[in-house]
């Protein structure tokens, strides 16, 4: 997040100016990889924050319907869908419990492709059928989380998120007022011109972004493969994972194994009677012995109650409230809610939107400041003295490598490549700026 003098005397230990320049070099090299991802994640994540509002505009013709006289049963709506397209499995039915809204049915088509259909509940007319992964916001979500490259892409995004945290930590150290630079100057908006303006913009937005973006990065880690997978393992071993009735394997079967299923209408009625908050998501029994699963799909995590409903009697076999989860599971869930801008209403949405804007400005200003200071024909890697790391710094680096596994793994790879290749080719070596 900063610029500095072009050269500094070498020291035996990384203290004072030598350590500052070493941190600057780490910050710079991390930024070469991180900044493009930060910009991409900020833009896609910032847009995704407004998923409900955007879908309300682009999918208005399938979400909103003309209110009729009498609603058709959900079974009739499913039958109308089955007459229109091939279905290999019904995944669930979602309703908003509002008169002017369509019914959403999720199913697997004849090719086992996960598909969505919107049905007019008054006429059973099939409004739109579309594969879930072709939905605009689903594509954006996949770009945000995996670069549209599946599990392979998620590793690059997670690596960028890990190193972004390191970049913010090193950036805060570089930003910290020292020498003749006062606290007032550190918090002052940019006033310079040319390269100075972009450097000051990077400094100013960097400190604001650190306060707003780092919590978003951390709250998104439970979604990742490596860090999130490790957390999931720890939660499973310690019994602190979510007790979801859908995924936890604790759902009881129906009390009977034969008879006439009660149908979705009564299942939704049970949910209302139990005080669940709309919208509702219901999933059918897997077989004759199983039961219905239904939950509140409210964006308020505390309201996301789940029920297991006997498919023959309509009795509530099991209820699971958000408060029934272990404390760690609740914290992780609320963290995800914060990440999506849903935890505390419009303020959370505005805060995350500002964070996304700052992250983009930080990325652009960092790139422009680097481009304007770099020597011709060089990356402009900051010159850092050859110095040994102190014990405290070694412990800090090891600790970061453990807390952020991909940082540790990539750092080992980078050190090996530096020793075997980069030093001999002269890559990433500091050169004075002109």
């Amino acid at each position: 997040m900063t610029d500095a003098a072009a050269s500094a005397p070498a020291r035996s230990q990384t203290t004072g100016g030598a350590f500052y320049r070493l941190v600057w070099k780490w910050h710079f090299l991390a930024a070469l990889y991180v900044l493009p991802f930060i910009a991409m994640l900020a833009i896609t994540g910032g847009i995704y924050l407004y998923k409900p509002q955007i879908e309300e505009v682009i999918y208005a013709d399938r979400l909103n319907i003309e209110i009729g006289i009498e609603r058709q049963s959900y079974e009739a709506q499913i039958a109308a869908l089955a007459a229109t397209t091939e279905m290999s499995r019904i995944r669930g039915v979602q309703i908003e419990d509002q008169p002017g809204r369509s019914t959403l049915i999720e199913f697997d088509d004849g090719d086992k492709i996960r598909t969505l259909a919107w049905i007019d509940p008054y006429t059973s007319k099939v409004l739109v059928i579309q594969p879930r992964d072709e939905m605009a916001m689903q594509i954006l979500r996949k770009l945000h989380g995996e670069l549209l490259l599946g599990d392979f892409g998620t590793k690059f995004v997670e690596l960028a998120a890990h190193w972004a945290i390191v970049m913010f930590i090193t950036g805060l150290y570089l930003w910290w007022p020292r020498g003749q630079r006062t606290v007032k100057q550190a918090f002052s908006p940019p006033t310079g011109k040319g390269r100075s303006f972009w450097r000051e913009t990077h400094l100013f937005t960097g400190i604001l972004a650190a306060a707003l973006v780092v919590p978003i990065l951390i709250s998104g880690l439970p979604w990742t493969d490596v860090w999130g997978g490790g957390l999931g393992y720890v939660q499973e071993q310690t019994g602190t994972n979510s007790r979801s009735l859908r995924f936890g394997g604790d759902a009881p079967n129906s009390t009977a194994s034969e008879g006439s299923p009660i149908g979705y209408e009564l299942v939704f009625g049970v949910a209302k009677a139990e005080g669940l908050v709309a919208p509702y998501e219901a999933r059918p029994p897997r077989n004759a012995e199983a039961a219905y699963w239904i939950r509140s799909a409210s964006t308020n995590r505390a309201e996301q109650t789940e029920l297991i409903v006997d498919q023959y009697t309509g009795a509530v076999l099991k209820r699971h409230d958000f408060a029934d989860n272990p404390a760690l599971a609740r914290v992780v869930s609320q963290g995800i809610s914060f990440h999506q801008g849903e935890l505390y209403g419009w303020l959370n949405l505005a805060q995350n939107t500002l964070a996304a804007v700052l992250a983009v400005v930080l990325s652009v200003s960092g790139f422009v400041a680097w481009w304007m200071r770099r020597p011709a024909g060089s990356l402009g890697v900051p010159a850092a003295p050859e110095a040994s790391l102190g014990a405290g710094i070694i412990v800090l680096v090891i600790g970061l490598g453990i807390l952020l596994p991909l940082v540790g793994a990539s750092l080992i790879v980078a050190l090996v490549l530096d020793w075997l290749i980069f030093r001999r080719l002269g890559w990433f070596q500091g050169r004075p700026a002109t």
Side-chain angles (χ1 to χ4, degrees):
M1 294 180 194
T2 190
D3 210 344
S7 60
R11 303 187 182 186
S12 59
Q13 289 287 326
T14 49
T15 58
F19 181 64
Y20 178 91
R21 296 192 61 77
L22 184 59
V23 172
W24 183 27
K25 184 174 182 178
W26 289 345
H27 180 77
F28 175 86
L29 293 175
L32 287 178
Y33 177 77
V34 168
L35 285 185
F37 283 96
I38 287 291
M40 183 277 294
L41 291 173
I43 292 171
T44 56
I47 295 173
Y48 195 82
L49 289 171
Y50 295 89
K51 176 179 180 288
Q53 295 86 346
I54 293 173
E55 290 190 331
E56 191 63 41
V57 173
I58 63 178
Y59 299 135
D61 59 339
R62 67 183 72 173
L63 296 174
N64 301 289
I65 47 90
E66 184 177 347
I67 300 175
I69 298 175
E70 184 178 358
R71 298 176 66 93
Q72 303 294 307
S73 70
Y74 294 103
E75 284 67 32
Q77 296 177 51
I78 293 172
L81 177 61
T84 304
T85 186
E86 185 179 358
M87 296 190 297
S88 60
R89 172 191 175 192
I90 292 288
R91 284 184 170 268
V93 177
Q94 299 179 42
I95 64 168
E96 296 187 33
D97 199 29
Q98 296 180 20
R101 302 292 278 186
S102 59
T103 301
L104 176 61
I105 298 176
E106 184 178 4
F107 65 99
D108 291 344
D109 67 9
D111 296 321
K112 306 290 181 65
I113 296 175
R114 200 161 182 170
T115 307
L116 303 175
W118 289 261
I119 315 293
D120 186 324
Y122 296 98
T123 65
S124 292
K125 178 183 177 181
V126 179
L127 302 174
V128 176
I129 298 175
Q130 185 172 12
R132 188 188 67 164
D133 288 346
E134 291 182 8
M135 296 282 290
M137 300 309 290
Q138 182 70 7
I139 294 173
L140 185 70
R141 180 176 181 173
K142 284 181 172 292
L143 176 60
H144 181 78
E146 59 188 47
L147 307 177
L148 302 180
L149 297 174
D151 291 341
F152 181 72
T154 61
K155 305 302 188 297
F156 287 97
V157 174
E158 182 176 0
L159 179 63
H162 284 206
W163 273 106
I165 295 173
V166 175
M167 190 184 71
F168 277 111
I169 293 173
T170 55
L172 285 172
Y173 175 82
L174 298 174
W175 165 87
W176 193 261
R178 56 175 57 80
Q180 296 182 346
R181 187 163 175 266
T182 64
V183 174
K184 181 179 179 181
Q185 290 173 323
F187 282 100
S188 298
T191 57
K193 295 181 180 180
R195 192 181 82 181
S196 177
F197 169 79
W198 289 104
R199 171 182 172 272
E200 291 177 17
T201 299
H202 192 63
L203 281 164
F204 182 69
T205 57
I207 184 59
L208 297 178
L212 295 178
V213 175
V214 171
I216 294 176
L217 290 171
I218 294 175
S219 63
L221 290 179
W223 268 321
T224 59
D225 288 350
V226 178
W227 198 96
L231 174 64
Y233 176 79
V234 170
Q235 288 185 272
E236 185 177 349
Q237 296 302 309
T238 58
T240 56
N241 53 328
S242 172
R243 301 286 193 263
S244 171
L245 299 177
R246 178 182 172 191
F247 301 108
D250 296 328
N253 287 329
S254 294
T255 54
S257 60
E258 58 183 17
S260 299
I262 60 175
Y264 286 98
E265 196 74 49
L266 288 178
V267 174
F268 289 128
V270 169
K272 295 176 187 179
E274 287 289 317
L276 270 65
V277 177
Y280 305 117
E281 177 187 0
R283 294 188 175 265
R286 296 184 305 275
N287 50 51
E289 290 78 27
Y292 283 98
W293 173 87
I294 186 169
R295 72 162 182 136
S296 166
S298 170
T299 55
N300 184 341
R301 299 285 168 138
E303 295 176 344
Q304 291 181 357
T305 296
E306 301 174 58
L307 300 176
I308 300 297
V309 178
D310 191 301
Q311 69 167 304
Y312 302 108
T313 67
V316 176
L317 302 177
K318 195 164 187 178
R319 177 183 177 122
H320 177 76
D321 293 303
F322 179 79
D324 296 331
N325 287 312
L328 180 57
R330 296 198 302 272
V331 169
V332 170
S333 181
Q334 296 286 26
I336 292 174
S337 180
F338 164 76
H339 190 92
Q340 297 181 141
E342 300 171 343
L343 185 58
Y344 38 90
W346 68 266
L347 182 59
N348 191 180
L349 185 64
Q351 177 183 326
N352 287 14
T353 302
L354 177 59
V357 172
L358 288 172
V360 173
V361 175
L362 181 69
S363 301
V364 172
S365 61
F367 174 83
V368 174
W370 161 71
W371 188 263
M372 295 180 74
R373 74 164 285 280
R374 69 183 183 89
S378 169
L379 284 175
V381 179
E386 294 290 340
S388 59
L389 295 176
I393 302 304
I394 292 175
V395 171
L396 176 61
V397 171
I398 293 175
L400 281 173
I402 293 173
L403 291 174
L404 304 172
L406 289 186
V407 167
S410 60
L411 187 59
I412 292 172
V413 171
L415 291 173
V416 171
L417 291 176
D418 184 55
W419 180 63
L420 292 176
I421 300 174
F422 298 156
R423 287 179 180 270
R424 296 175 184 178
L425 296 178
W427 293 1
F428 306 119
Q429 301 303 307
R431 287 179 54 181
T434 55

